[in-house]
Amino acid sequence: MVHYNNLLLENKGGILFITVNRPNKMNALNIETVKEINTAMQEVYDDPQVRGVILTGSGEKAFVAGADIAEIAELNEVNGRRFAERGQEVFSMIEESPKPVIAAVNGFALGGGCELAMACHIRVASENARFGQPEVNLGIIPGYGGTQRLTQLVGKGKAMELMMTGDMITAAEAKEIGLVNHVTSPEGLMDKCLEIMQKIVAKAPLAVGMIVDCVNAWYDKEENGYQTEANSFSRCCGSEDFKEGTSAFLEKRKPAFKGE
């Protein structure tokens, strides 16, 4: 069993709840926490008992309020590149996970916290959540994929504005511009995430994972998304889940998918 200093993990019926647990630091991402997220995601990939992930922050104020500024202040041109690349690698594990990952944004999601939420497949925010990429105020830019994912989610013009001004926006505005999927009351946040997750995990696991691959391929300049889709469709047609899904439909019963 892996011991985590900065994360809490709990598996409830195949749904793994990962909580960033540094409440005295507003759940800020330090290097150790990023390493632990990497380890936790590797568990998600490797454990067949895990069907999906809900990622949140501890307490009522912050999802993740940014990176650890004390660590960032020590960076230079040489180790700054590796710092960014390492964060990008870990967040890509989330983005590319074949199992659904939902961000339950329960407060401030700023800087690296906003980048962490954007790496998840779906974002649900409570009404008190706030989003922003304020790195420009420190003389730097987002380094964990924020310049790319924010642009993908909200478009070039709005992404430019948010990153160049460093402005913070409300959950309602985040939904309006497409940064989050749903906004709920603080009390209803987890219920909404579970509602969505339970719908997804009832579907064919192989197909869910291939949807992730195909959607991500749209943004990959080296990959033909249409070919990825055709290849994935073909693989689905050879799966036991496909046979089960079509048989269940024709027999007018609920399918029992096994991820095979």
Side-chain angles (χ1 to χ4, degrees), residues 13-29:
I15 299 172
L16 184 65
F17 290 78
I18 301 177
T19 303
V20 180
N21 186 39
R22 300 185 76 213
N24 60 326
K25 298 287 187 180
M26 300 283 278
N27 301 325
L29 295 177

Side-chain angles (χ1 to χ4, degrees), residues 4-80:
Y4 295 95
N5 292 320
N6 302 315
L7 300 181
L8 301 174
L9 273 67
E10 184 178 9
N11 189 326
K12 296 181 180 178
I15 299 172
L16 184 65
F17 290 78
I18 301 177
T19 303
V20 180
N21 186 39
R22 300 185 76 213
N24 60 326
K25 298 287 187 180
M26 300 283 278
N27 301 325
L29 295 177
N30 60 357
I31 292 171
E32 181 183 37
T33 304
V34 172
K35 288 180 179 177
E36 290 189 359
I37 292 172
N38 178 76
T39 302
M41 286 307 302
Q42 193 60 58
E43 286 193 46
V44 171
Y45 275 66
D46 295 341
D47 188 350
Q49 300 303 315
V50 175
R51 296 287 303 278
V53 176
I54 295 177
L55 178 63
T56 193
S58 64
E60 299 177 357
K61 292 184 177 180
F63 171 71
V64 169
D68 192 312
I69 306 302
E71 289 184 349
I72 288 179
E74 298 298 318
L75 296 175
N76 56 42
E77 198 168 342
V78 176
N79 60 21

Side-chain angles (χ1 to χ4, degrees), residues 36-246:
E36 290 189 359
I37 292 172
N38 178 76
T39 302
M41 286 307 302
Q42 193 60 58
E43 286 193 46
V44 171
Y45 275 66
D46 295 341
D47 188 350
Q49 300 303 315
V50 175
R51 296 287 303 278
V53 176
I54 295 177
L55 178 63
T56 193
S58 64
E60 299 177 357
K61 292 184 177 180
F63 171 71
V64 169
D68 192 312
I69 306 302
E71 289 184 349
I72 288 179
E74 298 298 318
L75 296 175
N76 56 42
E77 198 168 342
V78 176
N79 60 21
R81 179 188 297 274
R82 183 55 189 151
F83 179 88
E85 289 174 343
R86 181 57 179 153
Q88 289 175 5
E89 290 167 5
V90 174
F91 285 17
S92 288
M93 283 190 74
I94 299 172
E95 184 175 56
E96 296 168 7
S97 169
K99 302 172 185 180
V101 183
I102 297 177
V105 184
N106 55 315
F108 290 107
L110 306 175
C114 188
E115 291 176 295
L116 178 60
M118 291 191 295
C120 298
H121 302 135
I122 295 169
R123 284 152 296 285
V124 182
S126 62
E127 294 163 341
N128 64 316
R130 298 292 183 270
F131 296 83
Q133 298 289 166
E135 289 88 348
V136 69
N137 295 319
L138 302 175
I140 54 174
I141 66 171
Y144 285 178
T147 62
Q148 306 303 295
R149 293 192 182 98
L150 187 60
T151 305
Q152 293 167 11
L153 288 166
V154 308
K156 182 177 179 180
K158 193 62 180 179
M160 288 278 199
E161 178 186 347
L162 289 173
M163 287 185 283
M164 290 196 289
T165 63
D167 282 350
M168 186 167 57
I169 61 172
T170 65
E173 185 174 354
K175 183 176 185 296
E176 183 180 331
I177 65 176
L179 182 55
V180 302
N181 299 68
H182 302 277
V183 177
T184 73
S185 66
E187 303 78 28
L189 178 62
M190 280 302 171
D191 286 343
K192 185 63 178 179
C193 291
L194 281 167
E195 175 193 330
I196 297 168
M197 183 63 77
Q198 286 165 352
K199 285 182 182 179
I200 297 172
V201 298
K203 313 303 181 187
L206 288 175
V208 168
M210 289 182 199
I211 286 169
V212 173
D213 289 343
C214 292
V215 172
N216 287 338
W218 193 90
Y219 299 100
D220 190 336
K221 297 178 178 64
E222 297 179 0
E223 192 167 351
N224 183 318
Y226 290 101
Q227 191 60 58
T228 300
E229 180 183 281
N231 293 343
S232 298
F233 185 87
S234 172
R235 287 176 59 200
C236 285
C237 289
S239 71
E240 292 300 316
D241 278 351
F242 170 68
K243 295 177 184 176
E244 170 62 13
T246 52

